[in-house]
Amino acid sequence: MGSQIGRDGESAMARKYSVAVLALTCVFSASFGWSWGPLTWVIPGEIFPVEVRSAGQGISVAVNLGATFVLTQTFLSMLCSFKYATFIYYAAWVAVMTAFVVAFLPETKGVPLEAMGAVWARHWYWGRFVKVQQPAKNTDALIN
């Protein structure tokens, strides 16, 4: 896109390039829908311990919807200002998101929801903020 319309968008883009940009934008949207898109719904359901799962999921959804609103409101003005660099900007954020996931999110495959507190407590970074709570003692045994 940048090679066709110029740095400031002063040139018209040939039809075949316009179709290619449209097709690549559709491929990007489909790829996002099959990769990062669903993760905003799946990961919060897997990473929160049972005790705070509903609150965590609710906050996650609210933040996701707020970020989506900001993104949709700013995309066109970014495209007008930055031209093709808008796509480079978003690609850089995908790289940052990937690095964050690799470094800060633990693997949850095969981990029951009840054990997520211990997973967070053992994590190299989050372990300093999360402490595993000891299960409550059986009070019935103490009464008898």
Side-chain angles (χ1 to χ4, degrees):
M1 181 175 163
S3 68
Q4 291 299 305
I5 63 172
R7 183 173 176 203
D8 296 323
E10 67 274 357
S11 303
M13 190 182 302
R15 181 171 171 77
K16 65 180 181 177
Y17 290 108
S18 300
V19 170
V21 168
L22 178 63
L24 289 173
T25 302
C26 291
V27 167
F28 168 79
S29 295
S31 298
F32 180 80
W34 292 327
S35 61
W36 279 103
L39 292 181
T40 59
W41 299 98
V42 173
I43 288 178
E46 291 183 355
I47 65 172
F48 289 115
V50 175
E51 298 83 20
V52 296
R53 187 174 186 210
S54 59
Q57 186 78 21
I59 291 169
S60 176
V61 169
V63 169
N64 182 24
L65 292 175
T68 301
F69 175 78
V70 170
L71 185 128
T72 55
Q73 295 300 312
T74 59
F75 176 76
L76 287 178
S77 58
M78 282 180 65
L79 190 60
C80 290
S81 298
F82 298 147
K83 309 294 185 257
Y84 64 91
T86 302
F87 298 105
I88 296 169
Y89 173 81
Y90 286 121
W93 275 110
V94 168
V96 169
M97 290 179 349
T98 302
F100 178 85
V101 167
V102 168
F104 293 107
L105 290 184
E107 176 60 53
T108 59
K109 183 177 182 182
V111 178
L113 288 175
E114 296 79 19
M116 281 310 298
V119 170
W120 288 111
R122 287 191 315 265
H123 191 269
W124 70 271
Y125 180 77
W126 302 115
R128 60 185 103 167
F129 304 108
V130 177
K131 305 297 179 215
V132 178
Q133 294 180 353
Q134 298 299 323
K137 294 182 179 181
N138 188 349
T139 55
D140 294 335
L142 295 174
I143 294 174
N144 294 331

